[in-house]
Amino acid sequence: MPEGTGVRRAQAQRTRSGVLAAASAAFVDQGVQAPIRDIAERAGVGVGTIYRHFPTRADLVTAVYRHQIDTCAALAPRLLEESASAFTALSQWSDAFVDFLVTKHGLGAALGSGDPGLENLHTLMLDTLVPACATLLDACVAADEVDPEITAYTLMRAIGNLCITGPDYDRADAGRMVALLLAGCRR
């Protein structure tokens, strides 16, 4: 491959990564309907650059959340290696999962919008994160730290329900409630 092609490809990847980071921040602040011009400004690129990398809003939303889902899933085995106990790893992973869920302003509405480009996000989340959570739960069961009847899907659904924030219930409240839920799962 000519050297110029490699440089251009690396620059395109940096631009794409910058757009994803800017979109992620904009989605936290404004929801998934954040104006593309705001995302472009945050990324330091033109609107056309965003559309060149992500032809539709659904493409951009999917790319942002795919990256975040993959990051959350990759955290599980790392925490199992680094934590003092499997339950500590589960607690830390649950805290990251809470952060992931609480910052998804407008994602629920977007998923229900009928946009075919967004239909796969819920399945992607389940297919990627349920096995990550199951790995942590299996380690906790093996260490006799949690009730073996708890399934990853049920636990994640309970956490998800506790992360529905509102005017009088924020990220800190959700975190406290999830900590109580996890305490109730302990043996």
Side-chain angles (χ1 to χ4, degrees):
M1 161 175 23
E3 185 176 329
T5 302
V7 171
R8 283 192 304 274
R9 195 171 284 156
Q11 178 58 40
Q13 183 56 44
R14 280 192 300 276
T15 300
R16 187 178 197 284
S17 295
V19 168
L20 288 174
S24 179
F27 293 168
V28 168
D29 293 344
Q30 303 172 46
V32 296
Q33 294 304 321
I36 296 297
R37 69 180 175 284
D38 290 357
I39 295 168
E41 186 175 313
R42 286 175 188 241
V45 299
V47 171
T49 299
I50 291 182
Y51 285 116
R52 188 169 39 260
H53 287 274
F54 308 99
T56 68
R57 178 177 295 278
D59 293 333
L60 179 59
V61 170
T62 299
V64 167
Y65 292 121
R66 177 181 298 274
H67 174 72
Q68 292 176 341
I69 288 167
D70 290 344
T71 299
C72 192
L75 186 60
R78 193 183 88 215
L79 289 172
L80 273 175
E81 280 184 24
E82 297 172 357
S83 299
S85 73
F87 188 80
T88 299
L90 176 64
S91 296
Q92 291 172 337
W93 186 85
S94 295
D95 196 50
F97 184 53
V98 168
D99 281 341
F100 170 78
L101 293 173
V102 168
T103 60
K104 302 305 170 249
H105 305 301
L107 184 58
L111 289 174
S113 70
D115 185 332
L118 297 174
E119 289 175 355
N120 67 340
L121 276 182
H122 187 257
T123 301
L124 173 68
M125 188 171 90
L126 291 178
D127 289 350
T128 306
L129 295 181
V130 170
C133 184
T135 299
L136 293 162
L137 277 175
D138 290 347
C140 287
V141 168
D144 200 32
E145 294 181 302
V146 299
D147 186 324
E149 293 184 25
I150 299 167
T151 68
Y153 177 77
T154 303
L155 179 61
M156 289 177 60
R157 190 165 180 191
I159 291 171
N161 287 336
L162 291 171
C163 290
I164 299 170
T165 58
D168 296 329
Y169 185 82
D170 62 11
R171 191 313 181 194
D173 296 316
R176 282 191 293 280
M177 293 307 296
V178 169
L180 287 172
L181 170 69
L182 290 176
C185 294
R186 285 201 89 153
R187 299 280 279 171

